[in-house]
Amino acid sequence: MIEILDDYISLTAADVSYIIRAGQDRIISVYWGPAIKLEDAVSIDFAERWSSFDPEEEAYRQEYDVYNGRSFLTPCVYLDSPSDRLNYMEFSRLETTSSEIKLYYDICPSGLLLEVRYGIYSNGVVWRKASVSASEKTGLVSFYSGSACFHSYDQMSAIYTAGRWSGEWQVKSHDIVPGCFQLGSRQGFTSETFNPSVMIADKNCSETHGMVYSLMLAYSGNWEIKIEHTLTGITRLVAGLSSFDNSIVVNKGETVSTPLMYLAYTDKGYGEMSRLLHDFENANVIRKRPYCPVLYNSWEATGFNVTAAGQKELACKAAEIGCELFVVDDGWFGQRNSDHAGLGDWYVNPEKFPAGLDDLIRYVEKLGMKFGIWVEPESVNPDSDLYRTHPDWIYRSAYAEPLQCRNQYLLNLCLPEVREYILSWMRRLLSRHNISYIKWDMNRNMSDPDSAFFDDDSRIIWKQHADALYSLWETITEEFPDVYFESCAGGGGRVDLGIMRYAHQFWTSDNTDAFDRLRIQYGCSLFYSPRAMMCWVTDNNSDSGRAVRALEYRFHSAMCGGLGIGADISRFSAQELEVCKTMIGRYKSVRHLISGGLLYRQGNPFTDNVVSFEYVSKDRKEAVIFTFLHSQNFGMPLPNIRFEGLCNDKRYKLDDGCAHYGSFLRSVGIPNKLKGDFASCMHHAELVECE
Ligand code: GLA
């Protein structure tokens, strides 16, 4: 609900209020937290200026500001002009609808018109976005999506994920103290180093209790989130495009917009915050499908050694165990026999597929599965026909050899002919063959962002690259609306709410070790919905030298998201295949809970010996819980397995036929019979109807 009282504006939903004041020369953050009445908010007063050295509190509480030397926090807009860098905002007008506010300010003297937009979803998630229009060509160095403030003193921490290839989503905490803490990517893509998402929580916040604010930025290029904290107790979150090596040119008559940023609040702990975010993502961001089909992917089984015969053998087994989608990963095209060659040459390799790709697709379809394929449109190997023909199509500086990573370069997507090339082969691939799923990968950082091929300021490359990437995804997903898309960048390097507007699911990590995955998936689930989080059962035990975990354990770990199989099932025994069949069958019977239910995490796999992940249907009629024991120590008895989120006064039937009230299952629970190391189990509870 949006309410206006004088120059105060309140966005309220699901017991959260976000209140601002649209003044003549500034927009002030008045309040963000549990719902309050707007007429009370009007009385909120900010401290007077303390001394001539301290900016007035209002200057610190600006929701969107330009640089003019009145506040010493990060301004949302900073012009790339030594003579015109000081600017002032002048209120122009306000537009509202039932779900959105648009505030317009003239930025003087630059002549830019600023539009600051706000909206609120029914679950209390606030979205923000800004745009500028120019009457004369204007350059910007910083152009953030917005800032948001709250009072926190020194009692809070920033919770975020940090990682690296194959070790993404490690949960980290940083005390909020006066100063500035910054997360970001300058790698040209979202990156696995940090993810554009953060929670600011009470220091003693737990899964079930405590105040949490969160911010998620919907962007897949260079990004920045700053958490600024003043000695007066204001925490200010600023997020948007990275301002490092950045240049945004707004031409006369043009409008340029920032990425969307999302803000959420709860006083019920991390668990409730994640449920709120998942629910919002499922309903409002992630491309819709009720759930991800159970897929088989041949990458870990065959690597680049793809052959039609080998794929058929795997497909037979995949169908036998109940997979619904068969995916050929890297290695099917050009001369792609290793990661040294072939990227860029998107024709079906005739030696590997002598009877053509359609022969395999028909085979897969006869087995009752759909067919999917891997692509990496943004990259090229130097050893490829594409590069030999168009060495000028990559990012390179005029002065140094371009950097190769994984033996590949990045294509310069800013060039229209490059985008046209990518669209043409993708259209050909998707229209000539019956392909139901695309895994869109990208396997390197962006380097050499130099000016060799630009007449103008090459700092525009970063934003233009991300814009071009989105335009490719938008065109292809619009032209092929029935194809299922997965976003991947060497694992979980491109997981963000910008790409998830186009993708149905994402690849969480190349690390498929079932125990490491519990941690990875836990970290990822703080922010991202299990519906989209892909998890595979493989033969992999990472490079840790650990013994391979039991097949059931590997399944339980992978069943906590979208289930895929990546093991070499051609080598599985009849008994192992039978286990796969049973587990996939079980997964299918509960996947509606995993993809559309509410996640309750119990314990933290980074620190706890026993952890559970429970998924409860939104109507509270059904739940499934996966419990994992890391290692049995001292013969200690294990705590009972407890269900959360059920109705206390309703009875639920468990897998063993026993029925209990929700109150019992929550407070007492059922015995945890796990034994040994890396043990796991799954329990299901269903409402006893008609009692
Ligand atoms: C990346 C992906 C993997 C696989 C390989 C193929 O690393 O994350 O899943 O597709 O590329 O080269």
Side-chain angles (χ1 to χ4, degrees):
M1 185 175 56
I2 294 177
E3 276 183 290
I4 300 179
L5 186 58
D6 302 327
D7 50 2
Y8 286 77
I9 302 166
S10 152
L11 298 103
T12 300
D15 202 29
V16 174
S17 291
Y18 191 98
I19 301 175
I20 58 172
R21 198 175 81 223
Q24 278 311 310
D25 63 352
R26 55 181 60 170
I27 310 169
I28 303 299
S29 164
V30 175
Y31 175 83
W32 178 21
I36 58 170
K37 299 275 183 223
L38 181 55
E39 62 245 47
D40 284 336
V42 173
S43 65
I44 298 177
D45 193 18
F46 301 113
E48 291 292 305
R49 185 189 289 256
W50 174 248
S51 77
S52 58
F53 296 101
D54 296 287
E56 38 178 344
E57 185 173 341
E58 280 204 353
Y60 279 152
R61 299 189 69 104
Q62 294 187 77
E63 287 266 307
Y64 209 92
D65 57 341
V66 293
Y67 173 65
N68 51 28
R70 294 181 178 184
S71 140
F72 302 100
L73 301 181
T74 304
C76 293
V77 176
Y78 183 57
L79 266 66
D80 192 7
S81 155
S83 54
D84 263 352
R85 69 192 205 293
L86 293 181
N87 277 277
Y88 302 90
M89 285 168 51
E90 277 181 20
F91 179 74
S92 165
R93 65 181 201 280
L94 160 75
E95 284 177 15
T96 46
T97 65
S98 56
S99 59
E100 188 179 339
I101 314 164
K102 292 181 186 169
L103 291 165
Y104 292 92
Y105 281 81
D106 293 315
I107 300 185
C108 310
S110 73
L112 289 172
L113 176 65
L114 169 71
E115 180 195 65
V116 184
R117 291 170 62 187
Y118 293 80
I120 188 162
Y121 291 102
S122 55
N123 57 10
V125 174
V126 171
W127 62 264
R128 304 273 310 267
K129 190 180 175 84
S131 307
V132 285
S133 318
S135 49
E136 289 302 329
K137 183 176 174 183
T138 311
L140 310 175
V141 177
S142 357
F143 183 32
Y144 293 98
S145 303
S147 65
C149 295
F150 47 90
H151 256 284
S152 70
Y153 302 100
D154 293 344
Q155 307 299 328
M156 300 191 91
S157 309
I159 310 297
Y160 61 99
T161 60
R164 57 180 192 141
W165 175 76
S166 212
E168 301 90 334
W169 306 110
Q170 308 205 23
V171 181
K172 302 291 170 201
S173 159
H174 179 89
D175 285 356
I176 300 290
V177 290
C180 176
F181 178 58
Q182 181 170 330
L183 303 170
S185 165
R186 283 168 36 192
Q187 294 164 249
F189 71 119
T190 325
S191 99
E192 50 276 275
T193 316
F194 300 111
N195 188 269
S197 49
V198 67
M199 294 184 190
I200 312 294
D202 272 344
K203 272 197 182 143
N204 54 3
C205 183
S206 70
E207 223 16 57
T208 49
H209 295 90
M211 199 160 75
V212 192
Y213 294 86
S214 76
L215 182 155
M216 294 180 79
L217 183 71
Y219 197 53
S220 317
N222 280 1
W223 60 271
E224 220 164 79
I225 295 178
K226 290 186 179 195
I227 302 156
E228 301 180 303
H229 186 69
T230 69
L231 197 65
T232 53
I234 296 173
T235 297
R236 183 170 183 260
L237 310 176
V238 187
L241 306 174
S242 166
S243 57
F244 180 81
D245 196 35
N246 191 33
S247 167
I248 295 165
V249 177
V250 196
N251 288 309
K252 183 174 177 180
E254 218 178 51
T255 300
V256 175
S257 299
T258 66
L260 276 158
M261 86 182 198
Y262 298 102
L263 301 163
Y265 169 83
T266 181
D267 53 13
K268 299 188 185 69
Y270 300 122
E272 185 62 17
M273 175 54 82
S274 298
R275 285 187 287 280
L276 199 153
L277 294 174
H278 299 165
D279 192 47
F280 143 75
E281 291 161 11
N282 290 346
N284 305 102
V285 186
I286 300 171
R287 279 190 76 199
K288 298 220 175 29
R289 286 287 157 93
Y291 38 73
C292 310
V294 177
L295 66 79
Y296 180 83
N297 180 301
S298 60
W299 171 245
E300 293 203 17
T302 64
F304 293 101
N305 190 19
V306 173
T307 61
Q311 297 294 309
K312 284 182 180 173
E313 189 188 349
L314 288 166
C316 253
K317 297 273 162 82
E320 191 184 319
I321 60 176
C323 293
E324 298 158 310
L325 170 71
F326 183 82
V327 182
V328 177
D329 207 276
D330 200 349
W332 60 268
F333 53 91
Q335 292 307 308
R336 185 77 168 161
N337 297 314
S338 73
D339 61 13
H340 285 261
L343 268 183
D345 299 340
W346 297 100
Y347 61 87
V348 178
N349 181 299
E351 285 84 43
K352 295 182 179 182
F353 294 94
L357 187 63
D358 284 343
D359 173 59
L360 174 64
I361 297 179
R362 278 192 295 271
Y363 187 87
V364 164
E365 286 174 345
K366 268 205 194 126
L367 290 167
M369 296 181 294
K370 292 188 183 289
F371 182 80
I373 208 158
W374 178 97
V375 295
E376 185 171 346
E378 297 146 72
S379 301
V380 62
N381 285 119
D383 185 2
S384 66
D385 294 341
L386 181 68
Y387 185 71
R388 281 183 282 273
T389 320
H390 297 289
D392 52 340
W393 275 13
I394 62 162
Y395 291 113
R396 63 162 80 234
S397 121
Y399 310 106
E401 270 305 297
L403 180 73
Q404 285 186 34
C405 298
R406 207 192 187 204
N407 314 302
Q408 66 197 54
Y409 298 128
L410 263 202
L411 289 170
N412 178 350
L413 298 189
C414 307
L415 298 174
E417 55 272 35
V418 171
R419 297 198 295 274
E420 208 30 63
Y421 170 74
I422 293 174
L423 287 177
S424 70
W425 70 255
M426 285 197 81
R427 283 180 177 130
R428 199 169 57 237
L429 182 70
L430 287 169
S431 52
R432 290 205 186 149
H433 307 284
N434 198 12
I435 291 174
S436 307
Y437 158 103
I438 288 280
K439 175 174 169 187
W440 185 316
D441 205 347
M442 205 283 292
N443 275 301
R444 57 160 298 170
N445 294 327
M446 189 166 153
S447 63
D448 307 283
D450 211 343
S451 56
F453 302 102
F454 287 89
D455 301 332
D456 215 338
D457 180 349
S458 59
R459 293 176 302 167
I460 59 169
I461 286 175
W462 300 108
K463 179 168 186 305
Q464 281 203 357
H465 180 83
D467 288 347
L469 177 77
Y470 284 145
S471 83
L472 292 174
W473 272 83
E474 188 166 306
T475 308
I476 291 295
T477 52
E478 265 174 21
E479 287 181 21
F480 300 94
D482 297 329
V483 176
Y484 210 82
F485 283 86
E486 177 167 320
S487 169
C488 172
R494 192 177 276 157
V495 181
D496 62 78
L497 298 186
I499 209 69
M500 294 315 292
R501 284 171 298 178
Y502 306 111
H504 301 85
Q505 58 193 53
F506 57 81
W507 185 220
T508 318
S509 174
D510 274 350
N511 184 337
T512 53
D513 174 289
F515 172 67
D516 285 0
R517 264 306 186 113
L518 291 184
R519 293 177 167 179
I520 285 171
Q521 293 165 192
Y522 171 92
C524 183
S525 80
L526 283 180
F527 298 98
Y528 293 98
S529 165
R531 170 180 295 188
M533 178 176 76
M534 291 308 292
C535 316
W536 295 355
V537 173
T538 66
D539 303 315
N540 192 326
N541 61 338
S542 75
D543 295 324
S544 61
R546 274 188 217 126
V548 176
R549 241 75 57 222
L551 195 48
E552 283 84 353
Y553 183 96
R554 285 182 268 157
F555 263 100
H556 287 150
S557 166
M559 284 158 88
C560 291
L563 177 65
I565 314 296
D568 185 358
I569 48 177
S570 68
R571 295 199 302 202
F572 271 26
S573 65
Q575 194 196 354
E576 285 173 315
L577 289 172
E578 206 44 48
V579 174
C580 293
K581 198 170 167 180
T582 308
M583 299 302 279
I584 291 175
R586 278 196 200 149
Y587 178 74
K588 286 180 184 167
S589 71
V590 295
R591 67 175 158 193
H592 57 286
L593 303 172
I594 293 151
S595 72
L598 304 164
L599 170 65
Y600 289 82
R601 292 176 295 249
Q602 297 174 20
N604 174 345
F606 284 93
T607 49
D608 296 333
N609 197 31
V610 180
V611 295
S612 292
F613 297 91
E614 183 197 2
Y615 303 79
V616 182
S617 64
K618 283 169 87 177
D619 61 9
R620 316 270 172 194
K621 288 185 172 178
E622 203 185 346
V624 63
I625 187 163
F626 299 96
T627 302
F628 301 88
L629 167 65
H630 180 265
S631 48
Q632 180 75 57
N633 298 315
F634 314 114
M636 293 291 271
L638 301 177
N640 278 359
I641 296 171
R642 294 179 305 100
F643 285 80
E644 291 186 56
L646 299 179
C647 301
N648 284 337
D649 52 358
K650 300 261 168 63
R651 289 202 330 138
Y652 293 84
K653 195 168 128 194
L654 303 176
D655 326 63
D656 61 5
C658 296
H660 296 285
Y661 281 101
S663 51
F664 175 88
L665 292 173
R666 189 197 64 196
S667 306
V668 180
I670 56 176
N672 182 347
K673 297 182 181 153
L674 294 177
K675 291 246 173 307
D677 300 336
F678 298 115
S680 64
C681 60
M682 163 183 171
H683 290 279
H684 178 247
E686 194 165 12
L687 188 77
V688 181
E689 304 273 8
C690 328
E691 276 200 315

Coordinates of all heavy atoms in Angstrom, one line a residue, residues 15 36 81 95 124 126 142 201 302 308 314 352 389 412 467 475 561 567:
D15 N 3.4 -6.0 7.1 CA 3.9 -5.5 8.4 C 5.3 -4.9 8.3 O 6.1 -4.9 9.2 CB 4.0 -6.7 9.5 CG 4.0 -6.1 10.9 OD1 3.5 -4.9 11.0 OD2 4.6 -6.7 11.8
I36 N 4.5 1.0 10.7 CA 4.0 2.1 11.6 C 3.0 3.0 10.8 O 3.0 2.9 9.6 CB 5.1 3.0 12.2 CG1 5.9 3.6 11.1 CG2 6.0 2.2 13.1 CD1 6.9 4.7 11.5
S81 N 32.7 15.3 -14.9 CA 33.0 16.6 -15.5 C 33.7 17.5 -14.5 O 33.0 17.9 -13.5 CB 31.7 17.2 -16.0 OG 31.9 18.6 -16.1
E95 N 4.8 11.2 -9.3 CA 3.7 10.4 -10.0 C 3.5 9.1 -9.1 O 4.5 8.5 -8.7 CB 4.2 10.0 -11.4 CG 4.1 11.1 -12.4 CD 4.6 10.6 -13.8 OE1 4.7 9.4 -14.0 OE2 4.9 11.5 -14.6
G124 N 6.3 -7.3 1.3 CA 7.1 -6.3 2.0 C 8.5 -6.0 1.4 O 9.2 -5.1 1.9
V126 N 10.8 -4.2 -0.9 CA 10.8 -2.9 -1.6 C 11.7 -2.9 -2.8 O 12.8 -3.5 -2.7 CB 11.2 -1.7 -0.7 CG1 11.4 -0.4 -1.4 CG2 10.2 -1.6 0.5
S142 N 29.8 7.8 -11.3 CA 29.0 6.9 -10.5 C 27.5 7.1 -10.7 O 27.1 8.3 -10.9 CB 29.2 7.0 -9.0 OG 30.2 7.9 -8.7
A201 N 22.4 -7.7 10.1 CA 21.6 -8.4 11.1 C 22.1 -8.1 12.5 O 23.3 -7.7 12.7 CB 21.6 -9.9 10.9
T302 N 31.9 -37.8 -19.1 CA 32.7 -37.9 -20.3 C 33.7 -36.8 -20.5 O 34.5 -36.9 -21.4 CB 31.7 -37.9 -21.5 OG1 31.0 -36.6 -21.6 CG2 30.7 -39.0 -21.4
A308 N 28.5 -39.9 -29.9 CA 27.1 -40.2 -30.0 C 26.8 -41.5 -29.3 O 25.9 -41.6 -28.5 CB 26.6 -40.3 -31.4
L314 N 24.7 -43.4 -22.0 CA 24.3 -42.7 -20.7 C 22.8 -42.4 -20.7 O 22.2 -42.5 -19.7 CB 25.1 -41.4 -20.6 CG 26.6 -41.6 -20.3 CD1 27.4 -40.3 -20.6 CD2 26.8 -42.1 -18.8
K352 N 32.1 -36.7 -34.1 CA 31.5 -37.1 -32.8 C 30.0 -37.5 -33.1 O 29.5 -38.4 -32.4 CB 31.5 -36.1 -31.8 CG 33.0 -35.8 -31.3 CD 33.0 -34.7 -30.3 CE 34.5 -34.4 -29.8 NZ 34.6 -33.5 -28.8
T389 N 39.2 -16.0 -38.2 CA 38.5 -15.1 -39.2 C 38.4 -13.7 -38.6 O 38.4 -12.7 -39.3 CB 37.1 -15.6 -39.5 OG1 37.2 -17.0 -39.7 CG2 36.6 -15.0 -40.8
N412 N 34.0 -9.4 -27.8 CA 33.6 -8.0 -27.5 C 32.1 -7.8 -27.9 O 31.7 -7.5 -29.0 CB 34.4 -7.0 -28.4 CG 34.1 -5.6 -28.2 OD1 33.1 -5.3 -27.6 ND2 34.9 -4.7 -28.7
D467 N 25.0 -4.8 -20.6 CA 23.7 -4.5 -21.4 C 23.6 -5.4 -22.6 O 22.5 -5.9 -22.9 CB 23.8 -3.0 -21.9 CG 23.6 -2.0 -20.8 OD1 23.2 -2.4 -19.7 OD2 23.8 -0.8 -21.1
T475 N 16.6 -11.4 -26.2 CA 16.1 -11.8 -27.5 C 15.9 -13.3 -27.6 O 14.9 -13.8 -28.1 CB 17.2 -11.4 -28.5 OG1 17.5 -10.0 -28.3 CG2 16.8 -11.7 -30.0
G561 N 17.8 -29.1 -3.6 CA 17.5 -28.1 -4.6 C 16.9 -28.8 -5.9 O 16.2 -29.8 -5.8
A567 N 26.8 -38.2 -12.4 CA 27.8 -39.4 -12.2 C 27.9 -40.2 -13.5 O 27.0 -40.1 -14.4 CB 27.3 -40.3 -11.1

